[in-house]
Each structure stands twice: as C-alpha cells, then as structure tokens.
Amino acid sequence: MTQRPSRSGNPALGRAEGLTVEIRPWALGTVLVLLGELDLDSIADLREALDRAFAEPATVVVVDCAGLEFCDSTGLNALLRAKARAAADGSRIELARPRPLILRMLELTGAVDAFPIHETVPA
C-alpha cells in the first residue's frame, strides 16, 4: 500500500489508479474521502482505510462520497460489511455528499435506509 499526502496534508491510501482514499481525523472519529471509482480493483484500499478507522471502538466513520464517481456491488458490499462491523463494536458508519449516481444505486438496492446520509462533512 502506498501512502502519499492528500491535498490537505493528511495521509492518503491509493494503490489502485481508480481510487484514492484520504484519511482525515475529526473529533468523533475519522472521515474517509473517496476519490475516483470503487470497484473490485480498488476495494483493498477502502478495506484498509476502514480497518484503520475502526481500530478504536465506539468511533464514528464518515465516508465522504462527493468525489466517488462510481461504485459497484463490491464497494456497496464493503460498506454494508463495515456497517455490521461497526455495530458490533459500538461504532457507526455514515455517508456524506453522495453524487446522484451513487445515491441512485443506494436507493435501487435498498441500502439508502442502511446508512445515515448527510449533506455536509464534519470539519
């Protein structure tokens, strides 16, 4: 896994060309900023970032989807598994700023009801 600074100076994960995951701490946990395409080729980057974010129990992970251009069933499955994992240790996973295409995928699969969805990202 290659680490490189994000535009904000925080670490970013990004082995796959199709996805960059920026990791930003905040008062209640972690914000994961997804940039690019989340699919079978890039899922390892998201899983690694989620593992880091959920290392502490009772945390809140917000996945910022504003830069997510595509998400296939592999990506959705990873988010749903992360939700189950979070619930098991008293944590939460929430989504923020999904693009219309991502929001539509969540609606069509019924996953829109699985996550709190916010219009903004915590600072």
Side-chain angles (χ1 to χ4, degrees), residues 52-123:
R52 287 184 187 187
F54 286 120
E56 297 293 323
T59 190
V60 179
V61 175
V62 176
V63 180
D64 182 0
C65 301
L68 188 59
E69 298 169 6
F70 174 80
C71 179
D72 71 3
S73 61
T74 308
L76 177 59
N77 188 23
L79 292 172
L80 290 169
R81 286 180 183 266
K83 178 184 174 17
R85 174 184 176 184
D89 75 358
S91 296
R92 296 192 320 261
I93 185 168
E94 303 175 355
L95 306 180
R97 307 185 314 162
R99 291 179 175 206
L101 179 66
I102 303 304
L103 188 57
R104 182 70 177 140
M105 183 260 314
L106 294 169
E107 291 169 346
L108 289 173
T109 60
V112 72
D113 296 325
F115 301 97
I117 298 176
H118 305 284
E119 292 182 16
T120 60
V121 177

